[in-house]
């Protein structure tokens, strides 16, 4: 349903010696500062805990302390702390792209290319992604197709979020963190471990935040602009025997984002809006709000057979949510342009049910393996009267009601075998089947009443299957050097396009699956007695049947999703390093990439169209554009980040710690047409964060500033409006651990 800094980046890569893993974990510290080394990082991407430095995966791992230290409280900030990652904030929808692969079209039928897991369960694909990070154990950002374990919707990668578990016999301990900053930003988060008996423990965590809006709305309608967030989590851990572990978690989130505000691409006089300072000041002629509410329950059961050491694992999840927003999508003030007034007013509920079973062998001996199966059901419900596009409201409306059903199931596995001379062969595969169906109705109340038409059913379905996986050859050259080479594949399922309400009610043909094949090599190493770790890698991706939304040739006022013929290419290199010498620590990452679309033709729906543009054959004209060689959307050529800190130790055990980080994301294109007059060009993002903390007797007081230089940048474009990234924020926080 529709709803040039390359040289500097290369220098950073050369200085770091390495990169594909980007394991930017916080270096450890101890009383003997001269012996401080880089802390070991582990990941769970392959359904067992492995050392990232010895795993053939490109990833960034951020611990809970990293998140607090770097000011990462939502997924938006991940892009400034991991190479090759961009996050396009569409208000409540956050589309994550890794290496230029993700959710290029923002609607419910285009599935995500970067899947997010929370405590072992896949979450809503593309929506409800602003769920805050609090009481987190770690966040793993996996780059490249994860077709064997994450399966569909992981063509670009995956984000794995693990929250802190209760600790049996762990005592009453936890933390409390509060902050106050500009825009009257006030918030608190915390957690406490609750030991119940020698087999049972609980953990309770919460997060709240309020701040005044970043925007100055001139009216005539402003709405309730100020975001208010509240979240909570209850966890129970039961371990009646050494073999059995049962972990249950329930999350609740109430996330009022205050509105869906955007700056017009075109001013009321019809001229392009090229002034970046207008990003936070504009008119609004329709009531705005943006509210997400959802509950997630996860139940994870692990049983380790005492005789064989085989682990039997079950992960069950039930998630239900409601997203509602109302937006002035022309971004104009109706008093200046009465003919405008295009708006969306919608409320959609979503229910996601999933079940995964795994059988995991022990790692003793030369052979180890994982076998698994999973099932997911994800249903969107559009209630009657709650989804309306107005041209303007009450004039001509396009309404939707009904349900979109999506189901998929899969079986998967991976086998690892140790060969002579430190070599290891890994083979993983996954077979998936998927099905999607619309049972809906598109209608216009005004036109139906006037003409007796414009009320069309949308009952259609499509299904498919795919095989994805990974073959890797790993080489433990010695204790300090690990090399790997692999071929991996990923797939995004196909889907349906909604009924063409203003073109006679036809249903375009379903669009097909998208495939990507990734060829990758990497080298991970440690130096100077593990005071320095480096990672470097290179990848070459080929896409088949790349999914895009383009105008329908015979109906240029309508659009449909289709598959690009030919092969779209994307390739690049990545590097990272972590340093720990005494009280000084540093982490850095860089990504360099290029993309090139296959040959296909389309008309820009924002410009005059002729209706005679065939996607395969064209012909190329001033309106029928050959998009061959264009870049993928939101795929910057260069990304890099660096973070450094130093502990100044004072008498009595106090520590003063300044922390400085800098992140650069080069320019991007918001659409495949690369049309500057329509504001498709997104300028580079340069984000500087600075904090100074004082640690004293279990207290940590911090003065912080995020986006210190107040870089004003466009976070995403949802034609015909552009959405701004967060401006400079500063304040103080106080954390108490107990």
């Amino acid at each position: 349903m529709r709803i040039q800094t390359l040289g500097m980046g290369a220098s950073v890569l050369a200085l770091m010696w390495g990169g594909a893993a980007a394991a930017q974990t916080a270096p450890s510290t101890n009383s003997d500062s001269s012996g401080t080394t880089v802390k070991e990082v582990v990941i769970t991407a392959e359904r067992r805990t492995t050392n990232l430095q010895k795993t053939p995966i490109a990833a960034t791992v951020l611990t809970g302390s990293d998140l607090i230290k770097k000011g990462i409280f939502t997924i938006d900030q991940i892009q400034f702390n991991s190479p090759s990652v961009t996050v396009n904030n569409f208000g409540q929808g956050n589309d994550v792209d890794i290496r230029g692969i993700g959710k290029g079209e923002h609607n419910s039928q285009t599935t995500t290319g970067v899947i997010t897991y929370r405590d072992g369960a896949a979450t809503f694909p593309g929506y409800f992604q602003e769920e805050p990070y609090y009481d987190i154990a770690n966040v793993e950002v996996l780059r490249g197709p994860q077709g064997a374990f994450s399966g569909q919707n992981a063509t670009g990668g995956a984000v794995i979020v693990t929250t802190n578990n209760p600790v049996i016999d762990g005592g009453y301990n936890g933390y409390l963190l509060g902050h106050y900053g500009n825009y009257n930003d006030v918030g608190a988060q915390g957690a406490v471990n609750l030991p119940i008996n020698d087999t049972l423990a609980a953990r309770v965590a919460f997060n709240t935040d309020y701040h005044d809006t970043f925007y100055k709305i001139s009216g005539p309608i402003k709405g309730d602009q100020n975001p208010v967030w509240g979240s909570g989590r209850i966890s129970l851990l039961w371990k009646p025997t050494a073999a059995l572990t049962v972990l249950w978690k329930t999350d609740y989130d109430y996330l009022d984002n205050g509105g869906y505000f955007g700056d017009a691409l075109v001013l009321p006089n019809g001229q392009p809006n090229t002034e970046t300072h207008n990003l936070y000041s504009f008119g609004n002629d329709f009531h705005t709000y943006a509210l997400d509410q959802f509950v997630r329950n996860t139940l994870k059961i692990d049983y380790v057979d005492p005789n064989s050491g085989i682990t039997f694992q079950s992960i069950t999840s039930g998630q239900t949510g409601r997203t509602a927003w109302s937006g002035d999508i022309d971004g104009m003030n109706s008093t200046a342009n009465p003919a405008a007034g295009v708006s969306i007013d919608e409320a959609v509920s979503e229910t996601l049910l999933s079940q995964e079973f795994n059988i995991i062998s022990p790692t003793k001996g030369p052979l180890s393996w994982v076998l698994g199966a999973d099932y997911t059901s994800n249903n969107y419900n559009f209630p009657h009267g709650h989804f309306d596009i107005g041209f303007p409201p009450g004039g001509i409306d396009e309404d939707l009601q009904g349900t979109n059903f999506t189901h998929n199931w899969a079986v998967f596995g991976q086998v690892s075998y140790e060969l002579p001379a430190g070599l290891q062969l890994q083979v993983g595969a996954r077979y998936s089947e998927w099905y999607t169906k619309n049972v809906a109705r598109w209608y216009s109340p005004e036109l139906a009443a006037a003409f007796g038409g414009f009320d069309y059913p949308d009952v259609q379905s499509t299904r498919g299957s795919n095989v994805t996986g990974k073959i890797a050859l790993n080489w433990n050259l010695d204790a300090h050097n690990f090399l790997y080479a692999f071929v991996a594949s990923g797939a995004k399922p196909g889907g349906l396009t909604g009924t063409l309400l203003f073109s006679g009610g036809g249903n375009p043909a379903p669009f097909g699956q998208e495939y990507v094949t990734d060829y990758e090599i990497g080298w991970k190493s440690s130096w100077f007695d593990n005071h320095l770790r480096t990672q470097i890698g290179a990848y070459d991706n080929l896409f088949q049947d790349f999914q895009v939304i383009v105008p329908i040739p015979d109906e240029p006022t309508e659009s449909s999703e289709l598959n690009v013929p030919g092969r779209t290419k994307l390739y690049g290199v990545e590097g990272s390093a972590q340093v720990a010498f005494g009280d000084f620590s540093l982490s850095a990452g860089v990504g360099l990439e290029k993309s090139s679309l296959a040959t296909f033709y389309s008309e820009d729906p924002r410009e005059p169209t002729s209706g005679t543009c065939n996607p395969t054959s064209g012909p190329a004209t001033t309106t029928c554009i050959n998009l061959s060689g264009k870049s993928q959307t939101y795929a910057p050529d260069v990304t890099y980040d660096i973070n450094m800190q130093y502990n100044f130790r004072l008498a009595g055990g106090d520590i003063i710690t300044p922390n400085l980080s800098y992140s650069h994301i080069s320019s991007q294109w918001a659409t495949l047409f690369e049309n500057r007059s329509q504001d498709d060009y997104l300028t580079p993002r340069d984000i500087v964060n600075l904090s100074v903390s004082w640690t004293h007797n279990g207290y940590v007081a911090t003065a912080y500033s995020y986006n210190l230089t107040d870089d004003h940048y466009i976070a995403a474009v949802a034609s015909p409006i552009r959405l701004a990234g967060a401006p400079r924020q500063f304040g103080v926080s106080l954390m108490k651990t107990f």
Side-chain angles (χ1 to χ4, degrees):
M1 298 179 178
R2 288 190 303 273
I3 314 265
Q4 270 336 36
T5 56
L6 183 62
M8 185 174 182
S11 299
V12 173
L13 180 65
L15 287 171
M16 293 187 330
W17 294 45
Q24 301 172 97
T25 187
S28 62
T29 57
N30 52 46
S31 57
D32 180 11
S33 62
S34 63
T36 302
T37 59
V38 179
K39 187 177 180 180
E40 180 180 291
V41 180
V42 298
I43 59 172
T44 59
E46 296 182 344
R47 300 303 188 264
R48 68 168 85 239
T49 300
T50 60
N51 184 341
L52 178 58
Q53 200 72 357
K54 299 292 184 179
T55 305
I57 292 179
T60 297
V61 177
L62 298 162
T63 66
S65 61
D66 290 334
L67 300 179
I68 293 176
K69 178 179 66 179
K70 298 182 179 183
I72 304 173
F73 298 109
T74 67
I75 199 169
D76 286 61
Q77 286 87 37
I78 291 292
Q79 65 185 315
F80 303 120
N81 293 272
S82 179
S84 306
V85 177
T86 59
V87 180
N88 313 309
N89 192 325
F90 289 89
Q92 288 162 282
N94 291 274
D95 296 347
V96 184
D97 290 85
I98 298 179
R99 298 175 175 174
I101 309 171
K103 188 176 172 70
E105 305 291 350
H106 195 72
N107 57 72
S108 62
Q109 270 290 284
T110 302
T111 58
T112 182
V114 177
I115 194 168
T116 299
Y117 285 85
R118 286 264 184 169
D119 293 313
T123 63
F124 297 108
Y127 297 92
F128 306 101
Q129 292 298 306
E130 78 272 37
E131 183 178 359
Y133 293 154
Y134 65 99
D135 196 32
I136 299 295
N138 58 63
V139 176
E140 305 169 24
V141 183
L142 314 180
R143 300 192 296 277
Q146 307 296 315
F149 287 99
S150 297
Q152 295 186 140
N153 308 327
T155 48
V159 178
I160 300 176
V161 182
T162 304
T163 62
N164 285 317
N165 295 333
V167 179
I168 297 173
D169 294 330
Y172 293 90
N173 58 72
Y175 76 99
L176 185 64
L177 170 67
H179 73 267
Y180 180 78
N182 61 331
Y183 297 101
N184 286 318
D185 182 10
V186 58
Q189 62 169 275
V192 60
N193 188 74
L194 303 171
I196 299 174
N197 55 43
D198 59 358
T199 64
L200 184 65
R203 189 174 183 90
V204 178
F206 76 95
N207 181 78
T208 63
D209 188 72
Y210 165 88
H211 68 79
D212 294 341
T213 182
F214 298 144
Y215 307 99
K216 180 180 179 181
I217 312 300
S218 60
I221 300 174
K222 298 182 179 181
D224 185 6
Q225 305 171 43
N226 302 329
V228 181
W229 283 13
S231 304
R233 180 184 308 117
I234 299 175
S235 307
L236 282 175
L237 177 65
W238 181 46
K239 195 171 180 60
T241 68
L244 179 63
T245 303
V246 180
L247 178 62
W248 169 68
K249 295 185 179 183
T250 293
D251 288 85
Y252 172 74
D253 288 86
Y254 177 92
L255 308 176
D256 184 349
N257 289 296
Y260 185 81
F261 300 112
D263 186 32
L265 298 178
V266 181
L267 298 172
N269 61 9
Q271 297 300 311
N273 183 357
T274 59
E275 300 182 51
T276 57
H277 68 263
N278 283 342
L279 288 174
Y280 305 96
S281 178
F282 47 86
N284 195 70
D285 59 9
F286 191 73
H287 178 66
T288 56
Y289 63 85
L291 177 64
D292 277 354
Q293 302 173 78
F294 60 94
V295 176
R296 178 178 56 253
N297 293 284
T298 58
L299 177 64
K300 184 173 180 285
I301 302 173
D302 291 275
Y303 177 78
V304 182
D305 180 71
N307 298 316
S308 65
I310 294 175
T311 300
F312 298 88
Q313 183 181 84
S314 170
I315 304 173
T316 307
S317 178
Q319 305 172 59
T320 182
R322 180 180 182 272
T323 179
W325 65 270
S326 175
D328 175 17
I329 63 172
D330 58 33
M332 299 179 185
N333 188 324
S334 62
T335 59
N337 188 353
V342 181
S343 66
I344 290 183
D345 189 4
E346 69 175 18
V348 181
S349 59
E350 186 174 3
T351 301
L352 178 64
L353 304 175
S354 66
Q355 175 64 59
E356 180 175 319
F357 293 106
N358 295 306
I359 305 175
I360 306 168
S361 77
T363 55
K364 298 177 182 179
L367 179 68
S368 60
W369 46 266
V370 177
L371 296 176
D374 64 39
Y375 171 79
T376 301
S377 168
N378 188 34
N379 298 328
Y380 295 93
N381 181 42
F382 300 84
H384 174 71
H386 289 272
F387 187 97
D388 177 271
I389 304 174
F391 303 90
I396 298 177
D397 292 88
E398 180 177 2
D399 289 1
L400 167 65
Q401 70 175 84
T403 304
N404 168 238
F405 304 91
T406 301
H407 306 271
N408 66 76
W409 67 268
V411 291
F412 58 89
Q414 178 172 283
V415 176
S416 302
Y417 190 77
E418 304 294 335
L419 300 171
L423 294 172
Q424 181 192 55
L425 178 65
Q426 287 184 318
V427 179
R430 184 185 190 97
Y431 174 79
S432 303
E433 289 195 3
W434 55 269
Y435 171 77
T436 182
K437 181 178 182 179
N438 286 346
V439 180
R441 168 191 173 213
W442 295 84
Y443 63 101
S444 172
E446 297 84 6
L447 296 178
F451 301 102
F454 296 93
D455 190 341
Y456 302 104
D458 181 4
V459 180
Q460 53 179 326
S461 65
T462 187
R463 65 174 68 240
S465 63
N466 56 68
V467 176
T468 57
K470 180 178 179 179
I471 301 176
L473 180 63
N474 309 319
W475 186 18
N476 281 289
L477 181 62
D478 54 40
H480 305 291
N481 293 277
F482 174 76
L483 297 94
Y484 63 88
F486 64 75
V487 179
S489 59
K492 289 171 62 177
L496 305 167
T497 304
T499 297
L500 307 179
L501 177 62
F502 299 114
S503 300
N507 289 321
F511 57 94
Q513 300 180 101
E514 174 183 305
Y515 295 89
V516 60
T517 302
D518 174 32
Y519 302 89
E520 195 156 338
I521 57 174
W523 171 33
K524 304 181 182 183
S525 57
S526 61
W527 310 83
F528 310 117
D529 293 328
N530 207 32
H531 289 282
L532 168 65
R533 284 187 181 174
T534 59
Q535 306 84 27
I536 188 167
Y539 60 90
D540 186 7
N541 290 347
L542 294 177
F543 292 85
Q544 184 177 353
D545 298 324
F546 187 57
Q547 296 173 352
V548 296
I549 287 184
V550 297
I552 298 172
D554 295 334
E555 300 290 346
T557 61
E558 302 279 2
S559 63
S560 176
E561 191 150 0
L562 54 78
N563 301 95
V564 176
R567 292 197 170 187
T568 294
K569 300 178 180 179
L570 186 146
Y571 55 92
V573 295
E574 294 167 340
S576 64
Q578 307 84 47
V579 178
F581 281 101
D583 287 307
F584 174 77
S585 60
L586 177 149
S587 64
V590 61
L592 311 175
E593 69 178 49
K594 293 292 291 184
S595 61
S596 177
L597 293 175
T599 299
F600 80 105
Y601 301 82
S602 180
E603 295 179 307
D604 188 337
R606 303 161 299 179
E607 301 285 0
T609 57
S610 64
T612 58
C613 189
N614 185 286
T616 303
S617 58
T621 64
T622 55
T623 59
C624 185
I625 305 167
N626 183 357
L627 297 176
S628 174
K630 300 286 188 181
S631 298
Q632 292 185 192
T633 57
Y634 300 107
D637 289 344
V638 182
T639 59
Y640 57 84
D641 62 272
I642 185 168
N643 179 280
M644 62 184 74
Q645 71 172 32
Y646 189 86
N647 294 322
F648 293 92
R649 300 182 183 275
L650 309 179
D654 288 8
I655 303 174
I656 301 293
T657 306
N659 182 281
L660 176 67
S661 66
Y662 170 69
S663 174
H664 173 80
I665 299 176
S666 67
S667 59
Q668 309 165 59
W669 291 103
T671 79
L672 302 177
F673 299 100
E674 300 183 2
N675 189 334
R676 285 179 178 263
S677 68
Q678 292 289 346
D679 230 354
D680 288 350
Y681 179 77
L682 305 187
T683 58
R685 307 171 188 180
D686 292 280
I687 303 299
V688 179
N689 295 336
L690 175 64
S691 68
V692 180
S693 64
W694 172 37
T695 302
H696 172 76
N697 292 337
Y699 289 90
V700 181
T702 304
Y704 62 85
S705 178
Y706 309 135
N707 193 1
L708 179 65
T709 60
D710 200 21
D711 185 18
H712 289 191
Y713 64 92
I714 301 172
V717 171
S719 184
I721 60 173
R722 56 188 186 179
L723 306 171
R728 177 170 52 223
Q729 297 171 268
F730 56 85
V732 294
S733 68
L734 180 64
M735 181 172 68
K736 169 62 176 175
T737 58
F738 56 89

